[in-house]
Amino acid sequence: MKAIPLSYIARNLWVRRVTTLLTAGGMALVVFVFATVLMMSEGIRATLVATGQADNMLVLRKGAGAEINSGVSRGQAAIIESLPGIATDGNGQRLVSKEPVVLNNLPKRSNGKPSNVTLRGTSPLALALRPQVRLIEGRMFRPGTSEIVTGRSIANGFIGTGLGETLRFAQRDWIVVGVFDSGRTGFDSEIWGDAEQMMAAFRRSAYSTIVFRLADQGALPALLAAIDADPRLQIDAKPEIQFYAEQSEALATFIRYLGLFLSLIFSIGAIVGAMITMFAAVAQRIGEIGTLRALGFRRTAVLIAFLAESLLLSLVGGLIGLAAAASMQSVDISTTNFQTFSELAFQFKFTARIAVQTLAFALFMGFVGGFIPAWRAARMKIVDCLREA
Amino acid sequence: MSVTGDGGAGQTLIRIRNLSKAYVRGEQFIPVLQGLDLDVRRAEFVALMGPSGSGKSTLLNLVAGIDKPSGGSIIVGGVDIATLSEGALADWRAAHVGFIFQFYNLMPVLTAFENVELPLLLTTLSRRERKAHVAAALDMVRLTDRVDHYPNELSGGQQQRVAIARALVTDPTLIVADEPTGDLDRVTGGEVLDLLDDLHRQLGKTIVMVTHDPKAAGRAERMVHLEKGVLVPDPAPGAV
């Protein structure tokens, strides 16, 4: 079966460029929503997954699920610290960080409204365990003091968290002595201070989490076996990457499903728009359809030509929407991760997979919108078409 | 009534026997052609004439294979096109029929070259061969300087010449023309008829033309008259 040339299809769209652009614009808006939702979901996932380090293990109370509702006693922490297979630093010190994690309500710089921020008590070893974290202003807090360092997103987004400013919580004043950047990971949305000072200030007797570095991956089975064998350790130990991936799952999935549902609703409007445009295209070109058929082009060639025109129209809309969505990558946003109840800053993340999914969605709209008009065009009788020419 | 050619079977290109066509509108049965017999010889130029509603365009559509008869047979070049499937009929048209319409029916978004090339896309010719065929066809209609022009950049006469080039570019067995001068002034119409004359005399094309215009019909070798769906005898030579 010989096809009607693509130049005929494309130029017909160009001839009706105002209608084409308006219809493609409607599709572009839907595609934009679709793509940004996927980018948002991917951004949350990427931010939290990148927060974990491949050879770090994270320990929580058994069944806790999140740091905020976990509790690891000092006794349990001491046992964990002495487990075999834990890496040491150059000084022979075991790379273990025992961390209380507390939520604190701070007002936002943008509107003064309060939002939960994660406070993490840690030690200078935290920097060795999280090499992605680097100070960009000031210095690290000194152990045994009420000094804190703040993540880049927190320093930018919350009142009193900039370098040299003072925050008051847990009945103390805390001086911000440094701002750190963790490479767009979840730590950018945290405030760090000395673990023991935070434990005292918040009157905690247990840590929330223990993080340690494995000497090598081969040590993991023996270490997990040792934890299981010790009845005092009612804990869950898992790779840090896995933990943060799980932390992103609920929010990312919720946003993705909500966004896809909205996109599907909006897409009905875009499909109807494409359908109206294509019905108008068929009505304007009845004579041409008759001529093409008389010359020997088959019904399927006409069907494919009009369907291709609709798909091309949707591709234009898809590319416009995709380009607009891609420009969102430079935008920083934050939301509350309802798994941790704390603020999480992230960026829209554009991936090749999202580009393919988005264009497929745009082409789906074009196909559904174009099929009935194309079918009608193909079913018309030649003599009727020529009579109406 | 029958009007059959006097040539031998080998010379007859179109053999129509007992052809009928009727439309059904709701419960109404509308006969358009009834029991029609007609032969057209190879390389003959025939004009179909008759008043509006006489069935001449319907007959042309049936001969060209763009409509199906209600009864009878239409044998063109030995093939009964009334029995062909829709797909086979489309292939047959692409290979054997060139169309010339009253309102040219060019694709407005394609250039003169591309319009003429359109039927060649249904052949197995290479791009280079197609280009050569289109150039020859446009040369025949004296439009080599208008190849890149779109239909709206051409006069009515020029557009009809492009349509004629499109009709002859595949070297069809049969050219059907439906009121080819109906939308043109007298001078331009005359030029178009000269071209059809050339196709007939120089290239030996078989042409079946529907026209209201006795002067246009006068350029044909033979006139066939239809009235109320039946053929009527040719008027005496010089009566038109």
Side-chain angles (χ1 to χ4, degrees):
Chain A
M1 200 258 318
K2 303 284 184 177
I4 292 166
L6 191 63
S7 55
Y8 172 77
I9 295 159
R11 281 184 216 161
N12 270 305
L13 281 179
W14 179 247
V15 164
R16 296 176 289 113
R17 48 192 171 275
V18 175
T19 315
T20 298
L21 275 178
L22 285 174
T23 311
M27 287 184 157
L29 285 173
V30 178
V31 164
F32 174 78
V33 172
F34 181 87
T36 49
V37 163
L38 292 181
M39 286 166 68
M40 191 185 281
S41 172
E42 187 60 29
I44 290 167
R45 194 187 306 275
T47 298
L48 285 176
V49 169
T51 304
Q53 288 289 310
D55 44 6
N56 282 359
M57 293 293 290
L58 190 136
V59 174
L60 298 176
R61 175 177 54 81
K62 204 172 227 5
E67 290 176 309
I68 197 69
N69 52 16
S70 167
V72 181
S73 69
R74 287 178 184 274
Q76 288 174 320
I79 297 168
I80 292 164
E81 200 170 10
S82 65
L83 287 170
I86 295 178
T88 54
D89 66 6
N91 301 320
Q93 192 173 4
R94 292 192 148 226
L95 288 173
V96 179
S97 182
K98 297 169 282 187
E99 302 177 340
V101 176
V102 183
L103 291 183
N104 195 31
N105 225 248
L106 295 178
K108 287 185 175 179
R109 288 191 196 279
S110 57
N111 53 19
K113 288 184 179 171
S115 185
N116 281 342
V117 170
T118 300
L119 302 178
R120 183 181 297 277
T122 182
S123 68
L125 274 178
L127 290 179
L129 282 163
R130 280 104 180 203
Q132 74 271 42
V133 176
R134 57 186 182 83
L135 285 160
I136 53 172
E137 285 183 76
R139 58 175 173 78
M140 190 61 174
F141 62 83
R142 287 176 302 189
T145 66
S146 297
E147 292 177 348
I148 51 174
V149 290
T150 55
R152 187 180 49 80
S153 299
I154 294 295
N156 291 336
F158 287 86
I159 295 168
T161 57
L163 182 65
E165 292 185 292
T166 301
L167 273 179
R168 183 163 182 82
F169 58 84
Q171 296 172 339
R172 274 198 211 180
D173 288 330
W174 302 77
I175 303 165
V176 180
V177 297
V179 176
F180 63 86
D181 184 305
S182 64
R184 301 198 180 284
T185 67
F187 295 131
D188 276 343
S189 303
E190 293 187 356
I191 294 174
W192 288 4
D194 180 68
E196 292 308 322
Q197 290 298 310
M198 290 231 181
M199 294 275 278
F202 286 104
R203 295 177 187 168
R204 292 283 177 100
S205 56
Y207 301 108
S208 303
T209 182
I210 312 291
V211 179
F212 60 85
R213 167 90 36 96
L214 284 171
D216 65 82
Q217 289 292 333
L220 183 59
L223 190 138
L224 292 175
I227 290 172
D228 279 346
D230 194 329
R232 296 166 297 174
L233 296 179
Q234 294 301 309
I235 56 169
D236 285 327
K238 59 180 77 171
E240 199 181 28
I241 283 185
Q242 182 189 334
F243 168 75
Y244 282 108
E246 288 168 2
Q247 296 295 292
S248 72
E249 199 55 44
L251 181 60
T253 304
F254 173 75
I255 288 177
R256 194 166 62 245
Y257 281 114
L258 180 67
L260 293 181
F261 176 72
L262 288 175
S263 298
L264 277 176
I265 300 287
F266 294 160
S267 72
I268 294 169
I271 287 169
V272 170
M275 206 175 274
I276 290 169
T277 300
M278 290 312 298
F279 267 126
V282 171
Q284 281 171 5
R285 306 217 300 275
I286 288 177
E288 292 175 36
I289 294 165
T291 307
L292 287 166
R293 296 279 320 284
L295 293 179
F297 288 98
R298 293 187 177 202
R299 286 188 195 277
T300 23
V302 172
L303 178 89
I304 289 169
F306 278 92
L307 206 47
E309 196 169 314
S310 181
L311 290 172
L312 198 56
L313 179 70
S314 64
L315 186 64
V316 171
L319 289 172
I320 294 170
L322 206 55
S327 70
M328 294 293 287
Q329 286 179 99
S330 56
V331 177
D332 285 304
I333 57 167
S334 64
T335 188
T336 299
N337 183 348
F338 50 67
Q339 203 146 351
T340 61
F341 304 106
S342 63
E343 192 78 359
L344 176 69
F346 61 95
Q347 282 194 311
F348 293 94
K349 188 168 173 61
F350 186 73
T351 64
R353 184 189 165 94
I354 289 174
V356 170
Q357 286 175 331
T358 304
L359 287 178
F361 177 63
L363 292 173
F364 168 76
M365 287 194 289
F367 182 86
V368 175
F371 188 79
I372 296 173
W375 178 258
R376 180 173 177 262
R379 297 307 303 168
M380 285 191 288
K381 286 184 174 175
I382 302 173
V383 283
D384 292 341
C385 293
L386 293 174
R387 202 174 293 132
E388 286 189 39
Chain B
M1 178 72 210
S2 68
V3 180
T4 53
D6 55 0
Q11 283 190 306
T12 302
L13 178 69
I14 304 169
R15 185 184 294 273
I16 296 169
R17 291 291 178 268
N18 197 27
L19 184 69
S20 62
K21 176 72 184 176
Y23 295 106
V24 179
R25 297 253 157 81
E27 291 181 4
Q28 225 184 342
F29 182 78
I30 307 162
V32 181
L33 297 174
Q34 302 169 65
L36 193 143
D37 294 342
L38 174 69
D39 285 355
V40 176
R41 294 191 314 276
R42 213 171 273 277
E44 192 178 19
F45 186 173
V46 175
L48 290 177
M49 292 196 72
S52 293
S54 59
K56 56 190 186 303
S57 287
T58 302
L59 177 58
L60 191 77
N61 291 339
L62 292 169
V63 168
I66 58 175
D67 202 359
K68 286 271 193 178
S70 305
S73 64
I74 310 166
I75 297 166
V76 183
V79 176
D80 186 354
I81 62 170
T83 62
L84 293 180
S85 69
E86 194 175 279
L89 200 54
D91 294 344
W92 178 83
R93 284 195 304 272
H96 297 288
V97 187
F99 288 88
I100 302 169
F101 301 97
Q102 180 178 359
F103 299 109
Y104 334 126
N105 288 32
L106 299 177
M107 303 296 136
V109 296
L110 301 182
T111 63
F113 182 95
E114 290 165 333
N115 265 291
V116 177
E117 191 189 22
L118 211 45
L120 293 178
L121 298 175
L122 295 162
T123 68
T124 55
L125 294 178
S126 68
R127 193 184 175 89
R128 182 178 293 183
E129 288 169 324
R130 290 202 306 267
K131 200 173 175 181
H133 278 66
V134 173
L138 284 169
D139 186 43
M140 174 102 196
V141 298
R142 296 181 298 279
L143 276 176
T144 47
D145 56 339
R146 293 283 191 270
V147 288
D148 293 327
H149 288 232
Y150 287 92
N152 64 0
E153 297 167 340
L154 300 171
S155 68
Q158 287 171 330
Q159 287 186 57
Q160 194 60 301
R161 279 151 64 192
V162 172
I164 291 171
R166 183 179 66 187
L168 66 91
V169 73
T170 53
D171 191 22
T173 321
L174 169 69
I175 291 176
V176 293
D178 192 358
E179 302 274 12
T181 59
D183 197 45
L184 300 172
D185 61 50
R186 201 170 53 83
V187 176
T188 316
E191 289 170 3
V192 165
L193 289 170
D194 288 344
L195 267 174
L196 291 180
D197 221 21
D198 289 347
L199 295 182
H200 167 235
R201 289 184 198 287
Q202 293 175 18
L203 301 180
K205 292 292 169 201
T206 309
I207 300 174
V208 179
M209 175 177 74
V210 162
T211 183
H212 274 108
D213 179 6
K215 282 199 168 177
R219 304 289 284 267
E221 271 181 317
R222 180 157 65 109
M223 281 181 269
V224 174
H225 288 259
L226 274 129
E227 271 181 33
K228 295 180 182 171
V230 293
L231 293 172
V232 294
D234 287 351
V240 175

